[in-house]
Amino acid sequence: MPTISAVTEVTELNDTNGLIGRPGQYISAAWISDTAADPAETGIDGGAVVEVFADEADAQTRSDYIQGVLEGMGPAFGTEYHYMDGAVLLRVSGVLMPSQAALYEQAFAG
């Protein structure tokens, strides 16, 4: 995708959420910097995040939790597009246009 400017592996040292490797959380992850969002930011604010879990149930729990928090706080606190493939969750910033998120979805499914 032409708007992706960098991909950064998430480690224990740079994980701003402090969740990598913890029980029920992602076992690996990567931040995707996208010029259509804020590529200077880490995590979802930078464009997108791929999170890999031990199993599909953990990925679904994470997705449900995030979407629930965002819904409860209201749209002023942001939105995210979520796409799942088994134990892998792709989170795309709601700052991106729906057509841009659709490109992520297509690439993820492909």
Side-chain angles (χ1 to χ4, degrees):
M1 294 185 25
T3 57
I4 292 176
S5 58
V7 176
T8 304
E9 179 182 0
V10 177
T11 68
E12 289 180 12
L13 298 175
N14 70 3
D15 184 8
T16 53
N17 292 322
L19 298 177
I20 195 164
R22 300 202 185 276
Q25 301 301 324
Y26 43 86
I27 56 176
S28 68
W31 298 322
I32 302 170
S33 299
D34 191 309
T35 58
D38 186 350
E41 291 291 328
T42 59
I44 195 68
D45 294 330
V49 179
V50 177
E51 299 173 345
V52 180
F53 295 81
D55 57 48
E56 187 172 349
D58 288 345
Q60 187 65 59
T61 297
R62 170 87 165 143
S63 177
D64 292 346
Y65 168 76
I66 293 168
Q67 293 292 13
V69 167
L70 290 173
E71 184 178 309
M73 293 173 62
F77 289 92
T79 59
E80 293 184 14
Y81 304 91
H82 285 195
Y83 308 105
M84 286 187 52
D85 183 8
V88 181
L89 171 62
L90 170 62
R91 301 169 49 209
V92 179
S93 173
V95 171
L96 276 65
M97 298 293 209
S99 58
Q100 293 167 312
L103 294 175
Y104 275 90
E105 181 181 25
Q106 290 168 3
F108 186 58

